[in-house]
Amino acid sequence: MWTKQAEDSFSATIDYLLETWTVKESKNFIDLTEAITDRVALNPKLFKASVFDKESREAVITKHTSLFYRILNNDIIEIEYFWNNNRNPNIKGKTIKQK
């Protein structure tokens, strides 16, 4: 399950890749994201807990982008958002608190 914020931040990342790089890099990012989400589905606690919110977990997709997710009741995985790792980490804490 993806939040609206996850959908928006994923789309923004793809748009950025298409504007700045090529379709190849965009497709690679999509493939990496699918591989990560597949791994999370098999093992929800695979990735480390976020330092900003212990309910959230952080999976690094590339050195530039991380995916944040949490485990809801009945082991439902909620993809919360995608984060540009070059952004100010103090903003990340505020983003998490707004969810």
Side-chain angles (χ1 to χ4, degrees), residues 8-76:
D8 292 347
S9 55
F10 181 77
S11 293
T13 302
I14 297 300
D15 290 346
Y16 169 79
L17 291 171
L18 289 170
E19 289 172 13
T20 309
W21 299 94
T22 67
V23 171
K24 180 182 175 183
E25 283 79 20
S26 298
K27 176 147 179 28
N28 185 50
F29 180 77
I30 292 168
D31 291 344
L32 289 170
T33 301
E34 288 177 357
I36 293 286
T37 56
D38 288 347
R39 290 176 66 197
V40 167
L42 293 173
N43 185 358
K45 294 184 180 179
L46 179 64
F47 295 97
K48 69 177 182 171
S50 169
V51 297
F52 297 99
D53 178 357
K54 297 299 181 198
E55 292 179 14
S56 296
R57 294 186 170 271
E58 178 179 1
V60 176
I61 298 173
T62 68
K63 68 180 180 180
H64 304 290
T65 309
S66 293
L67 173 156
F68 285 79
Y69 69 95
R70 64 184 173 152
I71 305 164
L72 302 177
N73 295 335
N74 302 322
D75 292 328
I76 295 171

